Amino acid sequence: MAGSTNSIIYLSQGLAARGHLVYIGCRRESLLYRTLESSQVRLIPMTFKNKWDLKAIRKIVDIVKENNIQVINAQSSRDRYLSIFARWFYRLQVLLIHTRRQVPLSAGGKLHSWFYQRGTDKIVLISNGLKKIFLQKGYSEKHLHIIHNGTPSERYQQVDLNEVEKIRMQLGLTRNDIIIGSVARPKNQSQIIATLPLLDAKIRFLMVGVEPGHYDEEAKHFGVANRVIYAGTVNRDQVLNYYKLMHINILASTMDGFGLALVEAMALNVPVIATDYAGIRDVVIDEVNGLLFSDGDIEGLATQIKRLLQNENLRKKLIFNGRKTALEDFSIEKTVSNYETFFTELMAE
């Protein structure tokens, strides 16, 4: 379910399909490893215990030398640190790129920004909104490069309408229920719960990716416990079916650098509402392919939900433009081409 994991899967498979040798070092038990086991991507079991894991640093060095790796593209906190140390401690001749996919928790401060910029050749950000935040934190614009995420269009052919109906029955939903939904791990869904008292009593809220009970206190506080439905953690091959239960998909997050769940919903003709924040603005253009609301503005969110449910012309417009956005602007083919060009030009420099 994690958008960042899916993005890495799509990118690595796309580059491998074009004939590039792609190696991924990750935990054998991870979703990343399990998903790519039967692909063209070459997997190396690795564990990054902490930011100072000398064994992992040495393994990075050995892998680079043994496989003549030209580019390291580190994706998360520990491997960002360890890849820099590997290059510094062992004078490793390799291009080092960091990809940042979320609003940073640890990118601020002069020491952090110096370390990440001094230790890398470039930092890839997945949205203009994310770039603005990094610039505010003191990063050099020349060191930052934007490449948006993308999704493969063939993925959306996996939707099984018979399975959708099975899920509807399992969750105790009927065709008369009006479902607003969220596909994400816990990311401020309490804001959506808070809107329910302001909406028609027929409207129910479905959370996909949140374990049962997580928001029970909030639901009880607002007297809407009977209108909140948990789907729990869902297999990535099944998750698309859940979108088809929704009349609206909502992302109330203030941590997303992009918002892949918004693109998935758009591709499946589900209109979207999202927080007017950071990289989400790269995906959702207000009143064009979706609706935005200000973080914490519960009445504003409720108003946007009502508009989408009551204004059929607006709904049709957002669905049409949303699908075009998902399949044309944020295709995985475009993302892979951008990375391919970016890596090639860096190597030439």
Side-chain angles (χ1 to χ4, degrees):
M1 277 224 19
S4 57
T5 299
N6 279 338
S7 296
I8 297 167
I9 290 168
Y10 301 151
L11 174 61
S12 60
Q13 287 180 322
L15 288 170
R18 294 190 182 196
H20 302 290
L21 293 179
V22 181
Y23 297 83
I24 288 187
C26 62
R27 291 176 295 110
R28 190 185 293 274
E29 65 273 18
S30 67
L31 172 62
L32 192 57
Y33 196 102
R34 296 197 308 271
T35 304
L36 292 171
E37 257 187 308
S38 57
S39 73
Q40 294 172 282
V41 178
R42 303 179 181 206
L43 296 170
I44 300 171
M46 291 185 72
T47 300
F48 305 106
K49 293 180 181 178
N50 54 55
K51 296 174 181 178
W52 309 95
D53 187 342
L54 295 177
K55 187 176 180 181
I57 292 171
R58 182 66 235 186
K59 188 161 187 177
I60 290 171
V61 173
D62 292 341
I63 291 166
V64 168
K65 290 182 177 179
E66 289 168 8
N67 299 287
N68 297 315
I69 287 173
Q70 297 163 294
V71 181
I72 291 177
N73 187 191
Q75 302 281 340
S76 61
S77 178
R78 290 178 184 176
D79 52 292
R80 282 196 290 267
Y81 272 85
L82 295 173
S83 57
I84 290 176
F85 291 146
R87 199 162 75 156
W88 282 357
F89 295 171
Y90 291 90
R91 299 175 184 265
L92 201 56
Q93 299 301 305
V94 63
L95 283 170
L96 179 53
I97 314 301
H98 285 182
T99 294
R100 305 301 298 259
R101 300 181 182 277
Q102 291 188 329
V103 175
L105 297 175
S106 61
K110 291 182 179 179
L111 182 59
H112 259 125
S113 60
W114 175 87
F115 177 72
Y116 281 134
Q117 291 181 98
R118 187 76 176 83
T120 62
D121 293 286
K122 287 280 186 177
I123 295 173
V124 171
L125 305 171
I126 61 173
S127 67
N128 288 287
L130 206 52
K131 180 180 178 180
K132 288 179 182 178
I133 292 173
F134 273 79
L135 290 175
Q136 290 167 1
K137 290 181 177 290
Y139 282 72
S140 166
E141 187 166 11
K142 292 181 180 179
H143 203 77
L144 306 177
H145 186 81
I146 297 172
I147 302 179
H148 288 115
N149 285 337
T151 65
S153 57
E154 62 272 16
R155 173 162 163 74
Y156 303 109
Q157 298 169 11
Q158 296 176 8
V159 172
D160 183 339
L161 295 180
N162 290 326
E163 191 64 29
V164 173
E165 291 309 309
K166 286 182 185 177
I167 295 169
R168 192 192 304 276
M169 292 179 64
Q170 289 169 2
L171 295 175
L173 302 175
T174 71
R175 286 188 166 274
N176 294 324
D177 288 321
I178 299 172
I179 307 299
I180 59 175
S182 170
V183 180
R185 65 182 187 273
K187 291 182 179 180
N188 290 354
Q189 284 93 336
S190 54
Q191 294 197 83
I192 306 172
I193 292 171
T195 67
L196 292 177
L198 306 177
L199 304 173
D200 190 293
K202 294 179 182 177
I203 296 174
R204 305 178 74 182
F205 176 37
L206 170 62
M207 285 182 279
V208 183
V210 177
E211 290 303 316
H214 188 90
Y215 286 106
D216 277 2
E217 285 189 20
E218 289 89 341
K220 289 175 183 175
H221 173 75
F222 289 105
V224 293
N226 62 328
R227 296 168 62 186
V228 174
I229 305 158
Y230 298 94
T233 303
V234 175
N235 184 288
R236 68 184 298 272
D237 294 329
Q238 274 280 354
V239 71
L240 296 183
N241 294 320
Y242 285 80
Y243 286 105
K244 301 302 287 183
L245 296 170
M246 300 174 187
H247 293 78
I248 303 171
N249 180 63
I250 304 173
L251 183 63
S253 170
T254 55
M255 62 186 293
D256 281 71
F258 183 76
L260 201 65
L262 296 169
V263 176
E264 291 180 338
M266 288 174 170
L268 292 168
N269 296 320
V270 181
V272 301
I273 299 174
T275 324
D276 185 8
Y277 193 82
I280 289 173
R281 299 189 193 107
D282 282 44
V283 180
V284 179
I285 303 172
D286 194 33
E287 306 279 343
V288 176
N289 61 5
L291 298 177
L292 295 172
F293 74 98
S294 298
D295 181 47
D297 183 3
I298 303 304
E299 290 188 0
L301 174 55
T303 297
Q304 298 291 53
I305 293 170
K306 290 174 185 176
R307 290 181 66 204
L308 255 182
L309 294 176
Q310 296 168 5
N311 188 331
E312 190 59 27
N313 288 333
L314 175 64
R315 185 177 179 82
K316 287 179 179 178
K317 171 189 170 183
L318 299 187
I319 289 174
F320 178 83
N321 290 335
R323 183 168 172 79
K324 187 176 180 182
T325 296
L327 299 183
E328 294 181 13
D329 296 344
F330 300 120
S331 70
I332 191 59
E333 291 78 14
K334 192 171 183 178
T335 300
V336 172
S337 292
N338 287 339
Y339 266 99
E340 192 175 43
T341 300
F342 171 62
F343 288 150
T344 302
E345 289 177 353
L346 264 184
M347 287 190 288
E349 289 176 17

